Amino acid sequence: MTSSLPTPTTAEASSASSLSGDASSERRGWLRPALAVGGLAVVALVAGLGVEGPVASRAVLIGGACLVLWLTEVVPPFVPTLLLLGATPVLMGPLAADYRLGAVLAWGVDPVLVLFLGGFTLEVAAMRHGLDAAVARHVVRLSRGRPRLLLLLVMGGVAFLSMWMSNVAAAAMMLAALRPILQATPVGAPLRPALLLGVALGANFGGMATPVGSGPNALAVSAAGAYSQVTFAGWMALALPLTALMLVLGFGLVLLRFRLGGRLELPTQEAQPLTRSGRRVLAVSAACVVAWLSEPLHGVSAPVVALGATALLFGSGLLEREDLGRVDWSTLLLIAGGIALGRLMEHSGLVARALAGTDFGAWPVAARLGVLVVAAAALSALMSNTGTAALLIPLAMQLHPSASTPVLVALGCSFGIPFVISTPPNAMAAGEGLDSSELMRLGIPLMLAGCLLVSLTGPAVLRLFGLP
């Protein structure tokens, strides 16, 4: 049956699509602020009517407002931290000395912040001297025009970069290296979505592998410290095999979805050897990683090693004064705020009140941990993963107090990957033309598989490496 309506021209269709996209974007632009306003109203209502006592009500007001702002991401991530550190002494300081400014500032001071400072400094040095770009270019060259090998190397390469630097920067570097191939790929060819999925999955899963890989990892290391020290090597002993397994599983699903074969005509790129300063940064970075991994042998803690690496990079002139401004201070403040929020919930007794009367203790341990891991993944799929960890880790520690619990919750946060809005690498891949349905088609099975794997095997593996 044919239609009598005129067929729109390509330009008209493009214009209509653009207008539709703008309208959709405008609607989405109102969603988060609306959720934030609604969430803040609920917090105010609960603080005023739902809890008894001035300490609990004011703690609900402050902590709830910070969580709403973190989870909806309507303000920069460091703003709720500043709100928490400022509002707590003002509203709760008159009630007890534990809530005065000095004590509140001490809540957010943790050695894990120094560890992350070292990681961010190494990232700045790598970007300044081209180490990250060199890794991305080398990955493309090593594939030798074989699409499956290229996909595998892309996923492994971007995951390796995400272990030590921001997954946003890692994904950006890899996409830049792949852009000539993506531009030369015909429309509709399976290689383009396959590579974009590989970049997104590699960047998302790579952050699990090291303590400096993501914000939730930092909160987990800090929370676990009350029971047992989580060393750099200890974390990687669990998380690195898990990361590799998830990458292999993701690689297999991508190949099942997109039949890759044949040979590629790789763009000719001039080899760009590292400069002398780049080789020095590589040496410092390698020495730092070796020192982190060998902590059980020499006894120097990972944060102290990170401080030494930071001092060496700036003191040797490999980084300049202006590079200090390129360090990700926003994320450091976000992590400090998450730690401080946990202390506020602990000191005010909010967590104990929230769980009073529940019978989770009768549940099997695997069931309790499974619920926590799935909840972490589900919330992180829709909201900030660090905000999710700040919310769930204090609750999880009350439900199952052990050093392994926050680690499992943090890993669960890394599985929240199925939607375009779930992570920045997903959004970057979608911006390059990846359809959101492709992310969901692979992301949901990977999220469920990862949660199941961590829930069933995580506690046993952590006990094997000395974390109860």
Side-chain angles (χ1 to χ4, degrees):
M1 180 177 178
T2 60
S3 170
S4 61
L5 294 175
T7 303
T9 65
T10 303
E12 289 171 339
S14 175
S15 174
S17 175
S18 175
L19 289 174
S20 173
D22 290 344
S24 176
S25 177
E26 185 176 346
R27 288 194 297 270
R28 289 196 300 268
W30 282 101
L31 179 60
R32 287 184 184 273
L35 288 174
V37 171
L40 291 173
V42 171
V43 167
L45 188 64
V46 172
L49 303 175
V51 293
E52 296 180 359
V55 170
S57 62
R58 297 181 191 188
V60 166
L61 184 62
I62 297 168
C66 291
L67 278 172
V68 167
L69 295 176
W70 269 324
L71 294 174
T72 57
E73 299 178 295
V74 294
V75 295
F78 60 86
V79 171
T81 298
L82 301 179
L83 174 64
L84 187 150
L85 297 178
T88 302
V90 171
L91 297 181
M92 302 182 67
L95 302 178
D98 286 347
Y99 304 110
R100 291 175 184 164
L101 182 60
V104 172
L105 290 176
W107 290 350
V109 178
D110 193 279
V112 75
L113 295 175
V114 178
L115 177 61
F116 264 70
L117 174 63
F120 290 149
T121 305
L122 291 175
E123 174 186 346
V124 171
M127 295 177 69
R128 179 184 175 93
H129 296 283
L131 267 68
D132 51 352
V135 170
R137 290 193 303 268
H138 197 54
V139 162
V140 175
R141 285 198 304 272
L142 284 177
S143 70
R144 298 179 182 175
R146 287 175 284 181
R148 293 187 179 187
L149 181 58
L150 176 61
L151 174 63
L152 181 61
L153 290 172
V154 163
M155 294 182 70
V158 75
F160 174 78
L161 290 173
S162 295
M163 289 165 59
W164 314 105
M165 62 192 302
S166 156
N167 61 3
V168 177
M173 285 298 102
M174 193 59 71
L175 287 173
L178 291 173
R179 191 153 287 120
I181 297 175
L182 296 175
Q183 291 173 346
T185 302
V187 176
L191 180 63
R192 183 183 184 88
L195 289 178
L196 292 175
L197 274 170
V199 170
L201 294 177
N204 291 331
F205 289 141
M208 292 192 300
T210 65
V212 298
S214 72
N217 296 3
L219 299 182
V221 171
S222 176
Y227 297 89
S228 178
Q229 182 187 7
V230 181
T231 64
F232 207 98
W235 181 285
M236 291 190 70
L238 166 72
L240 187 58
L242 176 64
T243 300
L245 184 59
M246 295 306 299
L247 289 173
V248 170
L249 183 57
F251 176 71
L253 289 178
V254 173
L255 287 185
L256 284 176
R257 178 71 183 93
F258 302 102
R259 303 293 181 179
L260 300 180
R263 303 281 297 185
L264 289 175
E265 189 70 33
L266 293 179
T268 57
Q269 294 181 333
E270 282 189 34
Q272 300 179 14
L274 285 177
T275 62
R276 181 180 178 186
S277 58
R279 291 193 295 271
R280 290 167 63 192
V281 169
L282 179 60
V284 172
S285 302
C288 183
V289 172
V290 170
W292 278 338
L293 296 177
S294 58
E295 179 182 343
L297 299 178
H298 53 67
V300 180
S301 66
V304 174
V305 172
L307 271 180
T310 301
L312 182 58
L313 288 170
F314 280 100
S316 63
L318 292 171
L319 290 178
E320 304 291 341
R321 179 181 298 180
E322 60 268 18
D323 291 316
L324 192 62
R326 299 172 61 196
V327 172
D328 193 354
W329 298 106
S330 176
T331 298
L332 283 174
L333 278 173
L334 169 61
I335 294 168
I339 295 171
L341 178 63
R343 303 285 195 274
L344 173 64
M345 296 174 72
E346 177 186 340
H347 278 73
S348 62
L350 283 182
V351 176
R353 287 184 180 220
L355 297 178
T358 59
D359 195 25
F360 286 113
W363 290 25
V365 173
R368 277 181 280 168
L369 293 175
V371 168
L372 290 169
V373 172
V374 171
L379 285 175
S380 294
L382 301 171
M383 303 171 182
S384 160
N385 62 354
T386 305
T388 297
L391 169 66
L392 289 182
I393 284 178
L395 294 171
M397 295 299 281
Q398 287 288 328
L399 286 173
H400 187 69
S402 72
S404 61
T405 300
V407 175
L408 298 178
V409 172
L411 293 175
C413 289
S414 294
F415 293 129
I417 62 168
F419 309 122
V420 171
I421 62 170
S422 298
T423 69
N426 286 8
M428 295 167 71
E432 294 287 339
L434 180 64
D435 194 281
S436 60
S437 63
E438 299 293 354
L439 280 168
M440 286 195 298
R441 188 176 282 113
L442 272 67
I444 290 176
L446 287 170
M447 181 176 76
L448 296 177
C451 290
L452 184 64
L453 183 64
V454 166
S455 302
L456 295 179
T457 65
V461 174
L462 286 169
R463 282 195 300 271
L464 184 65
F465 291 98
L467 280 185

